[in-house]
């Protein structure tokens, strides 16, 4: 590629000039120096793509020069110039990562061909490195997919960062409620450092990074850096990177990596990689936090639900006996009374019956929950069961001037069900139909075989149920909120119990409805 920057380190002026003009002619951008020290100085000032160095330079040789520059720029391409006497050294150089060599005396086109090959190898190496850099990201995204545990996510992040960057120490700090950064996972650090490290915003490197929301890379004498004041072991470190963990514009923590002296220092590419890891980690940690909070809330809800069930159960049992006594005496008195007193007592009995039905529902709910509901599946005569249920409800419909139309085929097959449950379900559906249908309305009850099952249909001409509530009405205590309906009383348990009981005997309940026109509830049970 034209314009690539090439540093030529050659002590023989004639050879150096020839190299520079050949490279210029081939559209490269070459710079010449006479020895290794000069080459290192130039490379510290500006970026080069490739070094062409004579293997025999005065002072530092070409190979040492190459290694010194690569310490801070590992992707530098390299071609060595060698004489016949140093051919073996050149072959060793190839083993050490030099891309190509040319043997003196060489023609200009031999040099440019070697440079072109070296640059192309370097491009491939960089592409490889780029692909390798994606591996930790891939690892991390797998962790995110599979782990929502706030304890393990930071540990995974630390391990992946250490492997990806070849770091000697890694720590992941999270900001706690008191605004302090504390270490949640670490590798390569003594346990007492992990336990005791705490930084406020702006304090130490981590606090500085959290406050400024930018990654920081440090090289050299880290113990002299005022920001490292409070860090133990800074004197062993040769380079370090800290990057903030930011999610939804909030700093949640800091990810730190460091290398000991004597190892190649971190590069700008490492800063970039750590930043990407950091931003992914911030998302994962936030998800894990949310998950933990949701789980806590769920547990609390489960506890409350349990308490509620306990309360219902106790209340129902405690209310049942005194109510039975009150109801028995009220009924007795009603039978013996005459005139207006009889009417008053009839109202007392009705109110007590209503209370009894609510308490009965609470008790059945409790029984379903504890698995105490005894289901005895037998062959049941549906026709007589429907008859008995409607017999009980006719007075209620009569009071509202409603008509109940029944249509059951004469050859109705028997069904497999629990007699008690079946009665309770049908009674619940039919009494709702009466309750939610205005005075003078019509309730139709029919049944017909469908395949191996029988489907009972209870249709009313009542207020109907909005489409979006059709499933919710089967939830416990759910009632369609509407002042119109509130006057109907009830506590929203009838359908929940009906469906749960149906489940116990392989039955299904569902509903179709049109607001203002009426509803049809279906019950399907297996044929005997
Ligand atoms: P409730 O004791 O409140 O009637 P249910 O579980 O039997 O409890 O019913 C839940 C809610 O479903 C009722 O409060 C009502 O809003 C609605 N609902 C049930 N049946 C009908 C119906 N036939 N027509 C209109 N709404 C109904």
């Amino acid at each position: 590629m034209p314009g690539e920057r090439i540093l030529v380190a050659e002590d023989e002026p004639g050879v150096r000039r020839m190299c520079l003009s050949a490279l210029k002619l081939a559209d490269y951008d070459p710079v010449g120096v006479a020895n290794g020290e000069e080459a290192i100085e130039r490379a510290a000032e500006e970026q080069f793509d490739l070094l062409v160095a004579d293997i025999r330079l005065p002072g530092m040789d070409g190979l040492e020069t190459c290694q010194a520059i690569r310490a801070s720029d590992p992707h530098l391409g390299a071609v060595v110039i060698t004489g016949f006497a140093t051919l073996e050294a050149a072959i060793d150089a190839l083993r050490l990562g030099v891309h190509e060599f040319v043997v003196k005396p060489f023609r200009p086109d031999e040099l440019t061909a070697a440079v072109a090959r070296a640059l192309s190898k370097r491009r491939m190496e960089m592409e490889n490195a780029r692909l390798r850099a994606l591996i930790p990201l891939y690892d991390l995204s797998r962790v995110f997919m599979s782990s929502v545990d706030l304890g393990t996510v930071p540990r995974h992040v630390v391990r992946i960062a250490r492997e990806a960057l070849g770091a000697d120490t890694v720590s992941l700090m999270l900001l706690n409620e008191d605004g302090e950064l504390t270490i949640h996972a670490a590798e390569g650090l003594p346990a007492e450092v992990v336990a005791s490290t705490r930084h406020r915003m702006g304090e130490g490197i981590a606090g500085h990074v959290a406050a400024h929301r930018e990654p920081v890379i440090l090289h050299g004498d880290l113990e002299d850096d005022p920001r490292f004041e409070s860090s133990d072991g800074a004197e062993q470190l040769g380079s370090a990177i800290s990057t903030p963990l930011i999610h939804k514009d909030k700093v949640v923590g800091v990810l730190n990596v460091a290398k000991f002296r004597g190892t190649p220092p971190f590069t700008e590419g490492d800063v970039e990689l750590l930043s990407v890891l950091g931003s992914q980690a911030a998302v994962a940690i936030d998800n894990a936090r949310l998950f933990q909070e949701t789980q806590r809330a769920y547990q609390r809800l489960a506890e409350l639900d349990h308490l509620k069930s306990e309360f219902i159960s106790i209340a129902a049992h405690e209310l049942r006996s005194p109510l039975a006594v009150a109801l028995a005496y009220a009924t007795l008195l009603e039978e013996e009374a005459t005139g207006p007193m009889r009417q008053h007592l009839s109202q007392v009995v009705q109110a007590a019956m209503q209370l009894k039905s609510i308490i009965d529902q609470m008790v059945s709910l409790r029984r379903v929950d504890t698995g105490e509901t005894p289901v005895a599946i037998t062959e049941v005569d549906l026709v007589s069961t429907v008859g008995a249920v409607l017999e009980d409800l006719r007075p209620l419909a009569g009071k509202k001037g409603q008509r109940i139309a029944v249509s059951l085929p004469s050859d109705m097959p028997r069904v497999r069900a629990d007699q008690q449950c079946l009665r309770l379900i049908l009674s619940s559906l039919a009494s709702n139909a009466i309750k939610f249908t205005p005075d003078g309305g019509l309730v139709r009850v029919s049944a017909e075989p469908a395949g191996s099952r029988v489907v009972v249909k209870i249709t009313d001409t009542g207020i109907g149920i909005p489409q979006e509530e059709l499933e919710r009405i089967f939830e416990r205590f759910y009632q369609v909120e509407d002042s119109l309906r509130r006057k109907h009383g009830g506590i929203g348990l009838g359908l929940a119990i009906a469906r749960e009981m149906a489940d116990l005997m392989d039955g299904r309940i569902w509903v179709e409805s049109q607001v203002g026109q009426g509803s049809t509830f279906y019950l399907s049970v297996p044929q005997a």
Side-chain angles (χ1 to χ4, degrees):
M1 251 183 270
E4 278 165 309
R5 308 221 53 218
I6 298 174
L7 182 60
V8 180
E10 170 59 64
D11 56 326
E12 281 181 51
V15 179
R16 187 166 69 236
R17 265 198 303 281
M18 186 268 266
C19 290
L20 292 176
S21 67
L23 291 169
K24 249 184 225 143
L25 255 178
D27 269 346
Y28 295 113
D29 179 10
V31 170
V33 292
N35 58 49
E37 285 76 12
E38 248 185 86
I40 292 169
E41 261 170 45
R42 263 323 259 271
E45 285 160 15
E46 41 192 317
Q47 178 85 34
F48 289 96
D49 298 302
L50 182 96
L51 172 75
V52 175
D54 195 329
I55 209 158
R56 257 199 187 158
L57 286 174
M60 198 177 212
D61 73 27
L63 205 54
E64 284 165 350
T65 308
C66 175
Q67 277 170 341
I69 300 176
R70 274 190 176 166
S72 55
D73 179 8
H75 297 303
L76 180 77
V79 175
V80 291
I81 299 171
T82 165
F84 267 116
T86 49
L87 202 52
E88 263 181 31
I91 292 166
D92 281 345
L94 286 183
R95 287 198 194 104
L96 288 173
V98 164
H99 293 110
E100 289 286 329
F101 65 93
V102 282
V103 184
K104 274 183 190 170
F106 54 87
R107 292 194 315 273
D109 62 321
E110 284 174 319
L111 173 71
T112 52
V115 164
R117 284 197 303 274
L119 284 170
S120 137
K121 282 183 191 166
R122 170 181 182 259
R123 274 194 290 276
M124 260 161 63
E125 278 175 12
M126 285 173 73
E127 182 64 9
N128 265 342
R130 206 177 63 79
L131 290 177
R132 268 204 310 276
L134 291 178
I135 295 174
L137 295 183
Y138 169 72
D139 283 350
L140 209 55
S141 56
R142 263 200 347 210
V143 168
F144 299 170
M145 300 281 175
S146 59
S147 180
V148 279
D149 176 13
L150 197 50
T152 56
V153 168
R155 282 209 297 278
H156 285 301
V157 172
V158 162
R159 178 185 49 81
I160 292 167
R162 188 177 194 178
E163 283 168 12
L165 290 137
D168 294 306
T169 71
V170 184
S171 62
L172 187 146
M173 307 177 90
L174 292 181
L175 205 57
N176 65 18
E177 281 142 13
D178 303 329
E180 279 180 332
L181 289 161
T182 56
I183 298 182
H184 277 243
E187 284 194 14
L189 287 178
E192 59 276 14
V193 173
V194 173
S196 64
T197 305
R198 265 162 210 281
H199 288 313
R200 299 211 142 265
M201 276 284 184
E203 226 178 64
I205 293 288
H208 172 90
V209 163
H212 291 84
R213 299 167 155 252
E214 286 287 337
V216 161
I217 179 165
L218 300 153
H219 292 298
D221 297 324
L222 299 192
E223 78 268 29
D224 295 340
D225 192 305
R227 292 169 296 184
F228 260 113
E229 259 171 1
S230 50
S231 320
D232 285 330
E235 66 285 351
Q236 298 176 39
L237 301 179
S239 72
I241 310 175
S242 289
T243 195
L245 307 181
I246 299 177
H247 183 58
K248 292 189 185 143
D249 211 32
K250 242 180 70 190
V251 175
V252 294
V254 175
L255 183 57
N256 309 299
V257 292
K259 280 184 171 188
F260 295 140
R261 282 165 195 254
T263 53
F266 290 121
T267 62
E268 286 300 326
D270 292 333
V271 178
E272 224 164 277
L273 179 58
L274 195 70
S275 302
V276 178
L277 285 180
S279 59
Q280 297 231 35
V283 177
I285 288 164
D286 197 57
N287 279 347
R289 257 194 191 149
L290 276 179
F291 183 74
Q292 201 179 49
E293 275 166 26
T294 314
Q295 237 180 356
R296 273 200 206 122
Y298 180 78
Q299 265 165 15
R300 177 93 192 103
L301 217 59
E303 279 164 25
L304 286 175
D305 196 55
H306 179 70
L307 275 177
K308 189 190 72 190
S309 300
E310 283 296 296
F311 171 75
I312 289 174
S313 154
I314 294 166
H317 275 109
E318 292 302 310
L319 291 173
R320 233 180 177 189
S321 318
L323 181 65
V325 176
L327 191 58
Y329 281 109
T331 313
L332 196 72
L333 287 173
E334 186 198 5
E335 278 165 14
E336 287 174 359
T338 51
M341 185 58 91
R342 193 185 171 105
Q343 255 178 18
H344 295 164
L345 282 167
S346 150
Q347 294 215 321
V348 172
V349 171
Q350 261 181 44
M353 289 294 281
Q354 219 175 344
L355 209 54
K356 181 178 178 303
S357 113
I358 290 175
I359 292 172
D360 284 347
Q361 280 190 346
M362 287 158 125
V363 173
S364 329
L365 180 76
R366 172 71 183 166
R367 287 215 176 121
V368 170
D369 275 349
T370 52
E372 280 168 31
T373 312
V375 268
I377 309 284
T378 54
E379 285 192 13
V380 180
D381 177 14
L382 189 64
V383 179
S384 66
T385 309
V386 169
V389 166
L390 295 184
E391 214 33 61
D392 285 349
L393 291 174
R394 265 183 220 285
L396 196 63
K399 259 189 211 153
K400 294 183 79 178
Q402 293 172 343
R403 205 158 62 80
I404 299 183
V406 186
S407 132
L408 301 169
S410 52
D411 54 350
M412 186 70 185
R414 291 162 78 84
V415 296
R416 284 182 55 74
D418 174 282
Q419 171 96 45
Q420 283 286 327
C421 289
L422 185 65
R423 248 190 110 135
L424 228 134
I425 295 169
L426 290 173
S427 167
S428 196
L429 299 183
S431 68
N432 274 349
I434 295 167
K435 200 157 81 171
F436 294 104
T437 296
D439 291 359
L442 171 68
V443 174
R444 271 192 301 255
V445 180
S446 65
E448 54 189 31
S452 60
R453 303 175 73 87
V454 171
V455 177
V456 185
K457 243 169 100 173
I458 299 176
T459 303
D460 63 51
T461 51
I463 56 177
I465 302 156
Q467 212 58 28
E468 65 278 10
E469 311 270 7
L470 287 183
E471 264 311 298
R472 296 215 63 189
I473 56 169
F474 292 98
E475 288 172 19
R476 292 178 176 192
F477 299 105
Y478 192 83
Q479 295 179 310
V480 178
E481 274 307 327
D482 186 317
S483 54
L484 241 185
R485 289 155 212 250
R486 274 273 144 262
K487 69 174 188 208
H488 297 290
I491 53 169
L493 277 182
L495 290 177
I497 294 171
R499 183 169 263 186
E500 285 174 46
M501 284 190 168
D503 283 346
L504 291 179
M505 50 184 216
D506 189 23
R508 319 248 175 288
I509 297 181
W510 69 98
V511 59
E512 286 168 4
S513 186
Q514 284 283 324
V515 172
Q517 294 189 11
S519 314
T520 300
F521 281 81
Y522 298 85
L523 168 69
S524 141
V525 279
Q527 276 185 33

